């Protein structure tokens, strides 16, 4: 506790990864050079006397990476964070949040990029170094939260800007894929809704969101990312010591038809909206024995998670119906 009654929270972490590049055939190994990342976090929380019921949280994170494998991938950055919560009534709060987060290339990506540079020189005869600026996400949110004894609901508007997004990226056709900044900015904005209500012997909840993402370089919508999502669930306790939960998950993606004909020729446009249902049943036999039945993708829906890179020529098929039966015994 510091002077003025403001609680302070601090955290300091240091991550040290070691390894220089040693080539053995077509593979690369580590031996001596290092990638050292140091991080420190500081947070203050206080209730302002300006407005009754106004609470604030102020934090900052500092990250510094000394990358001896690829010095161009070294970085240092301060990421601030500010949150305000205003109690309007006993049931209604207004929340404002603005924060930043960051990630840069670590040991693995640096080693890969060194390998890619060697391969690039072998294929083209030209020397190069593959480096990337740190990826930074700035997020702003405004929420209204209403709660009673029986239910809680909230609606949130969010806006995020991803600067210098890092992705796997082809430099030349047929070439291996290094990690590079693929755009200056990706912008995403949308609205999210949450509802959680207690019912006799159980609970019901809904989470839904709609968003739009655009590439600042082209001004076009980014394909193959979730555009809408809906999760709805029911948890119920039956008198026979049987707990049943049902979860319905729906998602729709931006159509790939907005991308080039070359990508469509490789991948098609099979990533579309899908709805998946999961069921879980837990039967209490005794205080020490419990049976559990879990069924994921109950109706055996065939769907794909999209390949986020337009360079790779496959999507990611998701599991079909899976059934898991387990017995838990406490000795």
């Amino acid at each position: 506790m510091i002077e003025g009654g403001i609680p302070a929270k601090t955290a300091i972490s240091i991550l040290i990864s070691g390894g220089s590049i040693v080539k053995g055939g077509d593979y690369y190994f580590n031996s001596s050079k290092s990638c050292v990342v140091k991080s420190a976090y500081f947070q203050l929380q206080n209730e302002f006397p300006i407005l009754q019921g106004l609470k604030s949280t102020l934090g900052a994170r500092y990250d510094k990476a000394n990358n001896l494998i690829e010095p161009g991938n070294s970085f240092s950055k301060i990421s601030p964070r500010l949150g305000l919560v205003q109690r309007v009534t006993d049931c209604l709060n207004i929340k404002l949040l603005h924060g930043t987060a960051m990630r840069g290339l670590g040991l693995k990506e640096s080693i890969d990029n060194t390998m890619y540079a060697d391969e690039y020189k072998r294929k083209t005869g030209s020397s190069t170094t593959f480096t990337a600026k740190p990826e930074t996400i700035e997020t702003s949110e405004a929420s209204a939260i209403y709660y009673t004894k029986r239910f809680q609901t909230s609606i949130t508007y969010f806006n995020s800007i991803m600067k210098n997004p890092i992705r796997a990226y082809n430099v030349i056709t047929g070439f291996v894929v290094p990690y590079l900044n693929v755009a200056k900015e990706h912008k995403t904005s949308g609205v999210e809704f949450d509802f959680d209500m207690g019912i006799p012997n159980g609970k019901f909840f809904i989470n839904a969101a709609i968003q739009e993402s655009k590439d600042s370089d082209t001004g076009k919508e980014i394909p193959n990312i979730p555009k809408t999502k809906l999760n709805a669930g029911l948890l119920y306790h039956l008198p026979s010591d049987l707990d049943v939960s049902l979860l319905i998950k729906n998602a729709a993606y931006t159509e790939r038809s907005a991308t080039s004909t070359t990508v469509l020729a490789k991948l098609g446009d099979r990533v579309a909206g899908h709805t998946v249902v999961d069921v879980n049943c837990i039967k209490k036999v005794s205080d020490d024995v419990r049976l559990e039945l879990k069924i994921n993708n109950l109706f055996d829906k065939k769907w794909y998670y999209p390949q986020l890179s337009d360079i790779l020529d496959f999507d990611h098929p998701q599991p079909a119906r899976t059934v898991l039966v387990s017995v838990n015994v406490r000795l």
Side-chain angles (χ1 to χ4, degrees), residues 7 24 30 43 49 59 69 105 116 121 150 156 167 180 185 219 227 244 257 259 280 282 288 302 313-314 322:
N30 314 322
Q43 179 174 294
I69 297 172
L105 295 188
Y116 299 146
K121 182 178 180 180
R150 286 202 59 192
T156 301
R167 296 289 185 273
L180 299 174
E185 290 181 348
K227 190 177 182 69
V244 179
S257 56
T259 63
N280 191 44
I282 299 175
D288 299 321
K302 185 176 181 180
D313 58 357
F314 60 89
T322 57

Side-chain angles (χ1 to χ4, degrees), residues 12-25:
I12 299 176
S13 63
I14 298 176
L15 172 64
I16 300 176
S17 303
S20 65
I21 308 304
V22 178
K23 187 175 181 181

